[in-house]
Amino acid sequence: MRDLMGLMGKAKEMQAKFQALQEEMAQMKIEGQAAGGSVTVTLSGKSEMKGLKIDPSLFKEDDVEILEDLILAAHNDAKSKLEAAMQEKTQEMTAGLPIPPGMKLPF
């Protein structure tokens, strides 16, 4: 019974840590770039686009499709950086726990 109480205590502790991690991640801002910084996208920790900067030299009528592709590339760059940061934070928090391989946290 004592082991069960200890397990429950650890579960509550982990829940509090995950909640703190989610709050920290929500406050993060990650930038992704394309074309050497000509297009920059800023995402929140919730993957919401919070900013978009485009170098004025890219505004040419014939290059609209290129600009659209650069915006998508910058967004994808920011999103992959955000996912990597979230994975790193989660691994730091769960270090030493016997979690099966491939299991993603938070659930």
Side-chain angles (χ1 to χ4, degrees):
M1 187 66 150
R2 194 169 107 174
D3 289 342
L4 180 61
M5 294 303 288
L7 183 62
M8 293 296 288
K10 286 185 181 192
K12 285 185 181 185
E13 182 180 322
M14 285 299 297
Q15 183 179 15
K17 285 182 180 181
F18 274 119
Q19 186 173 2
L21 175 63
Q22 287 175 337
E23 290 171 6
E24 179 183 343
M25 294 303 294
Q27 299 301 318
M28 285 182 69
K29 292 200 177 175
I30 303 288
E31 283 190 355
Q33 298 182 348
S38 296
V39 176
T40 302
V41 170
T42 304
L43 295 182
S44 74
K46 293 182 178 183
S47 297
E48 297 170 335
M49 190 182 298
K50 293 295 187 178
L52 173 64
K53 293 179 184 176
I54 302 171
D55 188 306
S57 68
L58 295 175
F59 289 106
K60 297 177 185 166
E61 288 183 36
D62 299 338
D63 295 338
V64 171
E65 288 180 19
I66 293 171
L67 182 58
E68 291 169 345
D69 289 342
L70 292 174
I71 292 169
L72 289 173
H75 180 273
N76 290 337
D77 182 45
K79 189 167 183 174
S80 67
K81 288 178 182 177
L82 175 64
E83 288 170 354
M86 292 176 92
Q87 184 177 10
E88 182 180 322
K89 294 277 187 185
T90 302
Q91 285 177 347
E92 288 174 8
M93 191 174 73
T94 59
L97 292 177
I99 298 174
M103 184 174 188
K104 292 186 177 186
L105 295 174
F107 305 102

